[in-house]
Amino acid sequence: MADSRTSTITPPETKYLKDYRAPDFQIEQVTLVFDLREGVTHVRATSQVRREGAADAVLRLDGHDMTLMSVAVDGVRLTADQYQLEDHHLTLPHVPDQFELTIENEFDPAQNTALEGLYVSKGMYCTQCEAEGFRRITYFLDQPDVMATYRVRIEADKTAYPVLLSNGNNIEQGDLADGRHYVVWDDPFPKPSYLFALVAGDLAVLEDHFTTRSGAPVTLRIFVAPEDLDKCPHAMDSLKKAMVWDEQVYGLEYDLDIFNIVAVSHFNMGAMENKSLNIFNTKCVLAKPETATDGDFAAVEAVVAHEYFHNWTGNRVTCRDWFQLSLKEGLTVFRDQEFSADMGSRAVKRIEDVRILRQHQFAEDSGPMAHPIRPDSYMEINNFYTVTVYEKGAEVIRMIHTLLGPEKYRQGIDLYFDRHDGQAVTCDDFVAAMEDASGVDLRQFRLWYSQAGTPEVTVSQSYDAAAESLTLTFRQMTPDTPGQTDKKPLHIPMAVGLIGPDGADIPLQLDGENAPDDVATTRLLSLTGSEQSFTFVGVKEPVVPSLLRGFSAPVKLKSDLTAADRLFLLAHDSDSFNRWEAGQEIAAGLIMELVDDIAAGRPLHLDDGFSSAMGKVIGDLDLDRAFKAEVLSLPSEATLGQYRSPVDVDAIHQARKFVRHALAATHETALQSIYNACQTTGFYAFTPQAVADRRLKNVCLSYLMTQETPAVFTQSMAQFSNADNMTDEIAALSCMVNSAFSETRDAVESFYAKWRDDDLVLDKWFSVQAAVSKPETQDLMRRLIQHPDFDWNMPNRVRSVVGPFCGQNLTCFHDKSGRGYAFLGDVIEKLDPINPQIASRLVQPLGRWKYYDADRQKLMKATLERILALPNLSENTYEIVSKSLK
Ligand code: B3K
Ligand code: ZN
């Protein structure tokens, strides 16, 4: 890389999908013995190795940050000249075709702050091996297409670590000398090393039972720190619901006698699907009404289901290589989304998922890290656990589901498992099974796997009154992304409806088709060309088209709909997603007009049509409350920032605030009466109705608070003080910290005093303050990272402070002084040596510099340069920062 940087870093090696080769050796069985002791863990790995490739192939094992003690082949210890030991590899040049390999090594898990491999969290040992953590435990063929059965013996002090867990079945246990004990676990299913797990700790357990559809009993256990035992029932309940759902919807049953979940407070992501021993971030498993919000309850339900669903989509059928990550993640996210839709409100779930996709994935697709759901290359695989691989990957599966229909989709899934159970396969294998089972041609559709970027679809309409026909003409274009130009047209499923003047959908008939037998009012059009027209006949009067219903494809749609059309859709569309979408589009359009007014120094005025449409929504007593809350939630500043470049963060903030303030002023009485009507009585329940009531009530409160009257402040304070659940308590606190009332300080302090011993609630206390869009937040951020409860080793805490500041609080992060960027630079400098995975995630907002004005660009790039010049920058952060500067 020829550039002018002063840094002397050797760039990490780039791995390419095109270079994939099947492994030369397989490991069929491995026996691991762990001796856990203060200051050192000793591991002995005995593997049965078989040659599969060329007779002269060398055995090259992966290994990181360990001390090698010995290597033996078939029981004979090798001398140092019989192997080669490098930083990240152990190579044995001459080995038999089939043999037993024994390796002994040591390391200290307590020193492992990267939280990959075996590490210590609050006094318990735990592991995280996906993607490449197993190589920090022993030298191994640490890649997913090497699948072995595992037997694991764990020895540890019995008092400090009474619970010793690994994958599979507990087959032996007993006491040892010196107060120690051991347990042996055996997992009969061959698995890749990334699914290995070990836990040792002093843990309390919630136990329950499940009987599979075919009558097999399963013991379910959730292990947590003793003080958290009362926060487990919701996760257990979610697990049982997920088990039933997977049997009913996918015909998939659990396959072992035990299913264990362990909650860990120091964890890099949400959770991990290790075979029969799922390890969870406490945030994604613990929930009780007093400490967890409705959002947290929903996340626990979704993540518990997601990890459980991986048992089939990920574990029984796994990925051939890490380029195929979306094979398991896209599919499993689609499964958990559908599960959540079935458990709660389907309409609201879709809206929430699309919000996430647009705000985060569309941003990624238009930034320096844009990649297809099946990337072609990577430096550090942990950087590719992205919203693209996960959420866009799920949209791709959803489109297959849409194109095939539910029955053929299910036949495709059945064929996929018939063909590939027990194998490590590719995304192509998945699509081939879908195609073969359904007869639907997915050749062009496969481009979704290899092409990055968000397609832009433009649609125009022309109505022919004489011919009683409506022609819709679609054009599609996918913008260039780093390393990818000249994109081809994709196969885009476009769900369309036509709405007559009375507000009802009309029956649909395409030109040249017979009149339909059924009166389907949503029609799936397949867009395959760069320009394509569809003519509907029998359209007796002008209609308003409802396009991309249910968000049937992850694209940006530009249409020639007028503001009046959108108001009509907001009032009438039978597709609830599009009804919501119409409101969002109108709001976004108005806010962007106000941004122009601000730039031109014109006075601001709220559009009457929009205000009265929102008034109707607020006053519509028949409208589902959850849905109403979604309609009232305006597009976020981050989403609005994608409408135009350079992004004017201050004007966007001001314009959005103005709209909220003006709406609240006009509809104050109605908002107050809904607030009152949504007050739930009785105990907290996590039911769709109760969740909707709380959500709508708190949306109303936040609108009312824009008026900053003492009365509504008192109302917030009362809600804050009297709340019996975290949803209401934190919502009120959030309203107050964003207001100008000085009494807010008391609320912030009392919240801290009440919750200082609960890590997950304390994270919320940090977050709520970091998100406040006020100048004083700059200094506050410096204080928050010095706070006695701030801990650089705890990903949840670091994320809770840095995430909202850089991701939501755009006026502060992008403050034109550059203070926000400098703060993030300091955070990365401190964090990268401790936890590279978290550092490389948090640094990413700087990569969007090209969307800001010249002064900000300069400051953002300077911060990236500063990070790139840091000595010993991790490969994780190097990849993101160097690509961000290209
Ligand atoms: N498979 C894990 C993610 C592992 C991330 C490694 N950096 C959780 C999940 O998607 O279910
Ligand atoms: Zn997953």
Side-chain angles (χ1 to χ4, degrees):
M1 201 202 298
D3 67 13
S4 56
R5 284 189 291 107
T6 47
S7 159
T8 53
I9 296 173
T10 330
E13 181 201 354
T14 298
K15 293 97 182 164
Y16 295 93
L17 168 58
K18 63 178 167 45
D19 293 342
Y20 174 81
R21 282 179 55 239
D24 285 321
F25 294 88
Q26 275 292 337
I27 297 176
E28 288 165 340
Q29 197 275 335
V30 55
T31 297
L32 295 164
V33 180
F34 286 85
D35 186 19
L36 306 176
R37 289 178 194 267
E38 194 66 41
V40 66
T41 285
H42 184 99
V43 182
R44 188 171 74 235
T46 308
S47 302
Q48 307 305 320
V49 186
R50 185 167 41 80
R51 184 185 299 275
E52 301 240 299
D56 59 352
V58 301
L59 178 63
R60 191 165 182 254
L61 304 171
D62 306 294
H64 272 240
D65 298 337
M66 301 172 296
T67 309
L68 179 67
M69 316 301 286
S70 70
V71 190
V73 169
D74 287 330
V76 180
R77 187 168 172 162
L78 302 189
T79 52
D81 58 340
Q82 290 176 301
Y83 58 83
Q84 243 176 292
L85 186 60
E86 294 155 288
D87 262 1
H88 295 159
H89 294 104
L90 169 64
T91 307
L92 279 64
H94 308 291
V95 290
D97 290 347
Q98 188 137 15
F99 64 102
E100 184 176 274
L101 174 67
T102 308
I103 294 177
E104 293 190 66
N105 61 279
E106 288 183 347
F107 55 92
D108 182 7
Q111 303 302 316
N112 178 355
T113 59
L115 316 185
E116 277 181 88
L118 178 62
Y119 63 93
V120 178
S121 166
K122 285 206 166 174
M124 73 188 273
Y125 289 88
C126 60
T127 52
Q128 172 53 38
C129 291
E130 188 177 0
E132 297 178 336
F134 194 72
R135 63 189 62 185
R136 294 167 187 274
I137 292 175
T138 184
Y139 288 93
F140 204 72
L141 290 174
D142 189 16
Q143 55 190 74
D145 55 356
V146 171
M147 296 170 78
T149 55
Y150 285 64
R151 179 164 291 202
V152 180
R153 178 183 165 105
I154 311 165
E155 298 180 13
D157 183 86
K158 193 171 181 176
T159 315
Y161 308 102
V163 175
L164 303 176
L165 306 171
S166 190
N167 317 85
N169 302 310
N170 174 351
I171 55 166
E172 199 188 324
Q173 57 199 25
D175 288 336
L176 299 166
D178 302 328
R180 295 172 65 79
H181 71 148
Y182 75 94
V183 180
V184 182
W185 291 85
D186 184 81
D187 181 358
F189 288 97
K191 64 170 177 283
S193 49
Y194 83 85
L195 291 173
F196 165 79
L198 175 153
V199 168
D202 185 2
L203 301 166
V205 60
L206 175 69
E207 183 170 306
D208 208 330
H209 299 276
F210 184 85
T211 306
T212 68
R213 182 168 77 158
S214 47
V218 186
T219 302
L220 312 175
R221 292 197 184 101
I222 301 181
F223 291 90
V224 293
E227 65 272 20
D228 289 328
L229 199 54
D230 62 340
K231 297 176 186 158
C232 295
H234 175 64
M236 184 62 88
D237 205 35
S238 304
L239 175 60
K240 289 188 286 183
K241 285 181 183 165
M243 294 177 87
V244 171
W245 187 90
D246 218 16
E247 292 183 346
Q248 288 175 347
V249 181
Y250 278 78
L252 298 172
E253 291 184 24
Y254 189 60
D255 54 11
L256 278 163
D257 307 340
I258 305 174
F259 188 84
N260 286 331
I261 287 177
V262 181
V264 171
S265 74
H266 293 57
F267 205 67
N268 281 346
M269 26 352 118
M272 178 63 213
E273 70 264 24
N274 317 299
K275 185 81 187 184
S276 77
L277 179 52
N278 287 1
I279 297 184
F280 273 63
N281 186 326
T282 45
K283 184 174 170 51
C284 294
V285 65
L286 304 180
K288 67 175 179 181
E290 296 79 10
T291 60
T293 62
D294 292 336
D296 296 328
F297 271 77
V300 167
E301 183 179 81
V303 179
V304 166
H306 179 99
E307 305 311 330
Y308 173 74
F309 295 156
H310 266 315
N311 189 49
W312 280 92
T313 49
N315 302 3
R316 289 286 289 251
V317 182
T318 195
C319 301
R320 186 192 73 175
D321 54 76
W322 291 122
F323 299 100
Q324 317 296 331
L325 183 58
S326 202
L327 171 82
K328 72 178 179 82
E329 296 304 347
L331 177 54
T332 306
V333 171
F334 173 65
R335 277 151 56 65
D336 85 55
Q337 288 178 346
E338 286 297 291
F339 166 73
S340 296
D342 284 345
M343 296 300 115
S345 159
R346 177 164 284 273
V348 169
K349 176 66 181 154
R350 188 68 187 133
I351 290 167
E352 286 169 350
D353 290 339
V354 175
R355 270 193 213 276
I356 291 172
L357 189 82
R358 284 193 173 136
Q359 184 166 329
H360 302 287
Q361 199 279 324
F362 283 15
E364 186 162 83
D365 246 349
S366 62
M369 284 294 292
H371 53 276
I373 65 165
R374 183 188 54 215
D376 303 311
S377 68
Y378 59 79
M379 289 179 185
E380 167 54 61
I381 185 55
N382 283 309
N383 285 333
F384 285 81
Y385 286 75
T386 58
V387 271
T388 298
V389 166
Y390 276 63
E391 268 70 25
K392 185 175 180 180
E395 293 299 319
V396 169
I397 304 295
R398 182 178 295 278
M399 287 190 285
I400 295 179
H401 184 271
T402 305
L403 288 167
L404 269 58
E407 275 138 39
K408 286 185 177 159
Y409 170 83
R410 175 60 198 276
Q411 287 161 14
I413 288 286
D414 291 349
L415 182 61
Y416 173 65
F417 287 118
D418 279 353
R419 279 185 185 168
H420 300 299
D421 188 11
Q423 298 175 6
V425 305
T426 64
C427 297
D428 271 336
D429 292 323
F430 178 83
V431 179
M434 287 291 158
E435 212 164 29
D436 293 348
S438 67
V440 175
D441 181 349
L442 296 172
R443 272 174 297 180
Q444 186 184 0
F445 186 85
R446 280 178 168 79
L447 279 173
W448 282 103
Y449 283 89
S450 55
Q451 220 168 255
T454 309
E456 293 171 9
V457 177
T458 311
V459 53
S460 57
Q461 43 173 327
S462 86
Y463 179 62
D464 183 337
E468 297 188 343
S469 71
L470 175 79
T471 300
L472 297 177
T473 302
F474 296 90
R475 288 181 195 83
Q476 62 160 301
M477 190 281 290
T478 304
D480 292 349
T481 48
Q484 264 195 357
T485 51
D486 298 328
K487 316 269 181 166
K488 300 194 182 73
L490 293 155
H491 182 173
I492 298 174
M494 171 68 63
V496 171
L498 301 178
I499 307 174
D502 62 352
D505 285 357
I506 67 164
L508 300 179
Q509 185 185 356
L510 280 171
D511 191 20
E513 277 185 354
N514 296 329
D517 311 334
D518 55 11
V519 280
T521 55
T522 296
R523 178 75 193 232
L524 192 67
L525 308 176
S526 272
L527 310 189
T528 50
S530 48
E531 178 171 338
Q532 223 170 334
S533 293
F534 298 85
T535 298
F536 290 96
V537 293
V539 184
K540 298 191 171 28
E541 300 168 278
V543 291
V544 177
S546 167
L547 304 159
L548 200 68
R549 281 189 157 172
F551 200 68
S552 58
V555 302
K556 288 185 183 163
L557 182 70
K558 290 186 198 143
S559 70
D560 54 2
L561 292 179
T562 62
D565 291 339
R566 292 211 161 92
L567 287 170
F568 181 81
L569 292 172
L570 173 60
H572 299 293
D573 203 323
S574 63
D575 182 77
S576 55
F577 178 84
N578 268 7
R579 200 174 168 192
W580 168 80
E581 174 80 339
Q584 296 289 301
E585 282 287 312
I586 302 166
L590 291 177
I591 293 171
M592 295 320 286
E593 278 172 26
L594 293 170
V595 167
D596 291 337
D597 292 339
I598 291 167
R602 288 189 290 266
L604 304 187
H605 170 76
L606 180 65
D607 179 79
D608 291 339
F610 178 63
S611 178
S612 77
M614 292 302 258
K616 281 196 192 116
V617 169
I618 295 168
D620 183 347
L621 296 178
D622 294 332
L623 198 60
D624 175 73
R625 284 179 173 174
F627 182 72
K628 192 184 277 195
E630 292 300 332
V631 175
L632 291 177
S633 303
L634 303 181
S636 67
E637 290 178 22
T639 301
L640 293 164
Q642 292 178 27
Y643 277 73
R644 209 179 285 167
S645 157
V647 185
D648 188 341
V649 277
D650 298 309
I652 288 176
H653 178 76
Q654 197 188 330
R656 187 176 182 277
K657 197 169 164 183
F658 171 82
V659 172
R660 283 171 47 77
H661 184 274
L663 282 174
T666 311
H667 304 292
E668 192 170 358
T669 317
L671 288 164
Q672 185 64 56
S673 73
I674 306 180
Y675 178 90
N676 297 340
C678 289
Q679 292 284 13
T680 39
T681 47
F683 291 115
Y684 173 96
F686 181 67
T687 58
Q689 194 50 55
V691 170
D693 285 350
R694 280 187 292 271
R695 170 114 166 86
L696 183 56
K697 177 181 72 180
N698 287 317
V699 167
C700 291
L701 184 65
S702 77
Y703 268 101
L704 293 166
M705 270 298 272
T706 61
Q707 306 303 298
E708 302 243 348
T709 60
V712 72
F713 184 81
T714 307
Q715 187 175 335
S716 290
M717 190 59 109
Q719 174 172 322
F720 173 75
S721 311
N722 302 333
D724 66 353
N725 66 82
M726 185 49 65
T727 308
D728 288 344
E729 188 170 338
I730 199 80
L733 184 64
S734 170
C735 285
M736 290 191 286
V737 291
N738 284 289
S739 77
F741 290 93
S742 58
E743 296 88 332
T744 297
R745 215 48 252 161
D746 305 338
V748 171
E749 275 161 26
S750 76
F751 189 93
Y752 176 76
K754 182 172 168 192
W755 295 115
R756 58 179 302 173
D757 295 327
D758 189 308
D759 281 336
L760 295 175
V761 182
L762 207 52
D763 287 341
K764 297 179 195 301
W765 181 81
F766 278 99
S767 292
V768 103
Q769 298 181 74
V772 175
S773 172
K774 290 182 191 170
E776 51 268 36
T777 303
Q778 303 286 356
D779 290 337
L780 176 70
M781 293 309 291
R782 299 283 170 180
R783 291 201 301 279
L784 290 180
I785 57 170
Q786 300 292 334
H787 192 280
D789 290 302
F790 187 81
D791 180 355
W792 291 102
N793 288 304
M794 251 177 121
N796 287 355
R797 185 60 41 87
V798 176
R799 272 189 291 251
S800 75
V801 176
V802 182
F805 181 74
C806 302
Q808 285 168 41
N809 193 349
L810 302 184
T811 55
C812 285
F813 177 59
H814 293 286
D815 187 276
K816 59 179 183 304
S817 67
R819 281 189 295 173
Y821 308 142
F823 171 78
L824 183 55
D826 293 349
V827 163
I828 302 301
E829 182 169 354
K830 173 81 184 171
L831 185 62
D832 187 63
I834 297 172
N835 190 326
Q837 271 191 46
I838 304 298
S840 72
R841 298 237 153 205
L842 293 177
V843 77
Q844 299 201 18
L846 291 169
R848 294 192 66 72
W849 56 267
K850 75 169 180 194
Y851 293 101
Y852 292 85
D853 58 68
D855 292 341
R856 286 184 170 95
Q857 286 198 6
K858 222 166 121 191
L859 292 163
M860 293 171 88
K861 285 201 309 200
T863 312
L864 287 165
E865 299 278 7
R866 169 193 155 194
I867 295 169
L868 196 61
L870 290 172
N872 304 319
L873 189 68
S874 68
E875 298 196 352
N876 307 56
T877 304
Y878 176 88
E879 177 170 32
I880 305 290
V881 173
S882 62
K883 290 182 175 172
S884 295
L885 280 167
K886 281 219 171 105

